[in-house]
Amino acid sequence: METILGLDLPTWWFLVIGGLITGYGVLDGFDLGAGSLHLFFNKEESRRLVLNAIGPVWDGNEVWLVIAGGALFAGFPLVYGVIFSTFYIPFMLFLVALIFRAISIEFRSKEPWPWWRKMWDVSYTVSSTAITLLLGLVLGNLIHGLPINKAHEFTGNLWTFFNPYAILIAFTTLSLFMLHGAIYLVMKTENRLYAKLTIMVNNCSKFFILCFILTSMATLIYIPHMTHQFKNHPELFILPMVAVFILLNIKRNIDARKYFTAFFYSCIITSCLLILFAVGLYPNIVLSTTDPAYSISIYQAASSNKSLKIMLLIAAVGTPLVIAYSTFVFWTFRGKVKLTDMSY
C-alpha cells in the first residue's frame, strides 16, 4: 500500500478528518458554550455584549463542520452513508437547531420589543444547548458502538442512542463547551459583566472536572476497547497524562485570572479529548456491537488511493487558507467588546 512519510493514505485521510473535526470543536465550541450560558445574563446590555462577543466569528467557525462533512464523504463514502443513515433523526434535529441558532442571532436585534428579544434569547440558548448535546450523543454512540449488521445496516431504534454512556458524553461535551465559552466571554468583557463571568467560569470549571472524572471512570470500566491501543502501545499513555496536566492548568490559570492562558489550555484539552477518541477507535470508524467483524475500518471504507492522494493535495492547500482566514478574523476583532449602532 502506498505511503507518505510512513503513513498509508487512509490513515492520512483519517488524520485530516480528525483535524477538521477538532478545528470545529475548538472554534465553534466556545460559540455554542456562550449560547448555552446566554440566559444566565439578566440585563439587556449584558446579553447584547455576550452576543456581540461571538458575533464576528460564529458563522465562520461553522465552515469547519461543512468541510469535515465533505471530507468524510470524499474520503470514506461508506462511513458517510452508514453514519448519516444511522443518525438520521439526530442529524435532522441538529440541522434544525443550527437554523434556529443562526436566525436567533440575526433576528434578535431587528425589533426593540422585550417579548421579541426574550423569545430569540430562549431560542438561542435552547438551540445552542441542543447542538452541543446532539454532538456529544453522536460521539458517545460512536465510542460505545452501534448495532450494525453484516450489511452495515443499523438494527436499533431511536432509544438505542440514549444509552447511559452516550448521555454522559453528551453532558461532558456540554460542560466542556460551557467552560470554553465562559473563558472566551470573560476575555471579551469588562466591569460588572467581567466580574459576573469570573464566577461563572469557576462554576463551569467545576462542572467540567466532575464530568471529566465520571467519563474517564465509565470509559475504563464499561468501554474496554478504547484502551486496546494504549495497552498495545504504552507510549501512547502520555496522551491521557497530558490531558490531566492540561485540565489542572486550566483550573490553575482560572484561579490566577490568567484567562488568555486558560483559554489556550481549554483549546488544547478539547483537542486532546478528540485525539484520545480517535486513538481508541483507530483503525475502525464505526464499531459494531452486534459482531466486531461487522465494524467498519478506514481500509474498508476508503476511496481509491488515487482519489485520496488528489484530495490530500487539495486539503494541504485549502486547510492553511481556512486557518489563515480564521486567524485574520480573530486578530481583526481582538480586544474587549464595545456596543455600537451596528451591534446585534
Side-chain angles (χ1 to χ4, degrees):
M1 183 175 290
E2 189 173 356
T3 62
I4 299 175
L5 299 178
L7 296 177
D8 54 67
L9 290 172
T11 299
W12 270 111
W13 205 244
F14 181 76
L15 294 174
V16 168
I17 294 172
L20 292 170
I21 294 173
T22 300
Y24 175 73
V26 168
L27 293 176
D28 208 32
F30 68 79
D31 291 348
L32 294 169
S36 297
L37 295 169
H38 190 70
L39 290 180
F40 287 98
F41 306 103
N42 298 318
K43 294 184 178 181
E44 170 66 13
E45 183 182 6
S46 297
R47 290 186 177 182
R48 289 190 67 201
L49 283 167
V50 298
L51 193 61
N52 281 278
I54 60 103
V57 297
W58 70 269
D59 49 355
N61 292 341
E62 290 185 349
V63 170
W64 291 83
L65 180 64
V66 176
I67 298 174
L72 182 63
F73 174 75
F76 304 110
L78 175 59
V79 170
Y80 180 91
V82 170
I83 288 179
F84 277 78
S85 60
T86 298
F87 294 107
Y88 182 82
I89 294 177
F91 281 151
M92 287 299 102
L93 294 174
F94 177 80
L95 288 175
V96 170
L98 276 178
I99 293 169
F100 271 92
R101 174 180 176 236
I103 62 176
S104 298
I105 294 172
E106 296 296 335
F107 284 9
R108 184 188 188 278
S109 61
K110 300 305 180 185
E111 297 291 348
W113 309 320
W115 68 265
W116 172 270
R117 296 194 170 190
K118 177 69 174 179
M119 177 181 68
W120 292 118
D121 285 337
V122 172
S123 173
Y124 176 48
T125 296
V126 171
S127 58
S128 297
T129 304
I131 291 169
T132 304
L133 290 174
L134 286 166
L135 285 172
L137 196 70
V138 171
L139 182 64
N141 277 284
L142 289 175
I143 296 172
H144 178 270
L146 297 161
I148 303 293
N149 62 20
K150 189 176 182 179
H152 304 313
E153 295 173 341
F154 178 66
T155 58
N157 54 47
L158 180 61
W159 299 111
T160 303
F161 303 133
F162 294 94
N163 58 80
Y165 183 78
I167 293 173
L168 177 59
I169 294 294
F171 279 97
T172 301
T173 305
L174 178 63
S175 68
L176 172 59
F177 284 3
M178 289 176 71
L179 173 61
H180 199 33
I183 297 173
Y184 179 78
L185 291 178
V186 81
M187 293 193 305
K188 302 291 289 183
T189 55
E190 52 192 350
N191 302 326
R192 294 180 65 182
L193 181 56
Y194 170 88
K196 179 171 184 174
L197 276 162
T198 58
I199 299 172
M200 196 173 291
V201 166
N202 191 50
N203 291 336
C204 288
S205 68
K206 294 175 182 177
F207 180 33
F208 174 61
I209 290 171
L210 175 62
C211 290
F212 181 89
I213 293 171
L214 291 175
T215 298
S216 299
M217 293 174 59
T219 302
L220 291 172
I221 296 171
Y222 299 109
I223 316 293
H225 61 258
M226 291 299 290
T227 63
H228 288 171
Q229 291 286 0
F230 298 95
K231 291 177 181 177
N232 297 332
H233 303 279
E235 65 275 10
L236 292 175
F237 191 70
I238 193 172
L239 292 174
M241 292 179 63
V242 167
V244 172
F245 172 77
I246 292 171
L247 178 62
L248 295 175
N249 268 282
I250 292 174
K251 181 60 177 171
R252 182 176 65 84
N253 281 281
I254 287 173
D255 292 340
R257 298 201 171 187
K258 297 179 179 178
Y259 294 113
F260 181 83
T261 307
F263 183 73
F264 171 77
Y265 279 122
S266 71
C267 293
I268 300 299
I269 193 69
T270 303
S271 303
C272 272
L273 293 177
L274 287 169
I275 290 171
L276 287 169
F277 159 65
V279 169
L281 280 186
Y282 183 84
N284 295 307
I285 301 183
V286 179
L287 295 170
S288 173
T289 55
T290 304
D291 187 333
Y294 301 157
S295 299
I296 305 174
S297 72
I298 60 173
Y299 302 105
Q300 292 173 276
S303 299
S304 66
N305 278 355
K306 184 176 181 179
S307 297
L308 292 178
K309 186 185 295 185
I310 293 172
M311 291 184 296
L312 197 60
L313 291 174
I314 295 172
V317 174
T319 303
L321 293 176
V322 177
I323 294 173
Y325 163 77
S326 299
T327 303
F328 172 76
V329 171
F330 278 95
W331 177 257
T332 301
F333 294 99
R334 67 191 182 279
K336 303 293 185 179
V337 179
K338 304 292 184 183
L339 295 179
T340 68
D341 292 339
M342 300 299 292
S343 300
Y344 287 109

